[in-house]
Amino acid sequence: MASVLLGAGLVTAVLGVSLLVVRLLSRAAPTAVAPALATTYLMKAFVLGWVLLNVPSPGWLETWWFAGSVLVSLAAWLTVQGVVAARAARAAGAAAADAREGRSP
């Protein structure tokens, strides 16, 4: 159970950092979002790489359960993000169409 929780928590933490960067910068400095995401990606890659190479896995870690929970969590996270992005794009498109036709929301 701990292996599953660790895998899901790792995915949530790593992808949550990216989501936090987008949320904080998208309104304050929209042009800085892409460079900030690239920077956080590099930092996450270096930190996770260092951890994988230098920190031994604990004895209680069940690798197959850990890997499975990482894959399932990643798929769930990306599915939810895709649905949210699609809804936002549809709403923005509908608002733009209303504005072109002179209708107010």
Side-chain angles (χ1 to χ4, degrees):
M1 182 64 167
S3 299
V4 172
L5 292 175
L6 180 63
L10 182 65
V11 169
T12 302
V14 168
L15 295 176
V17 168
S18 297
L19 183 61
L20 182 64
V21 168
V22 170
R23 290 278 183 178
L24 292 176
L25 288 178
S26 64
R27 291 195 174 109
T31 57
V33 172
L37 281 174
T39 302
T40 57
Y41 174 80
L42 284 174
M43 288 188 326
K44 289 187 290 187
F46 283 126
V47 168
L48 287 174
W50 181 86
V51 168
L52 287 173
L53 292 174
N54 294 312
V55 177
S57 63
W60 52 264
L61 184 71
E62 296 181 33
T63 54
W64 287 107
W65 283 104
F66 177 77
S69 71
V70 166
L71 292 174
V72 168
S73 299
L74 182 60
W77 182 281
L78 292 176
T79 301
V80 169
Q81 288 290 68
V83 168
V84 169
R87 286 181 182 167
R90 259 187 253 119
D98 288 345
R100 280 193 304 268
E101 294 174 5
R103 291 182 286 184
S104 63

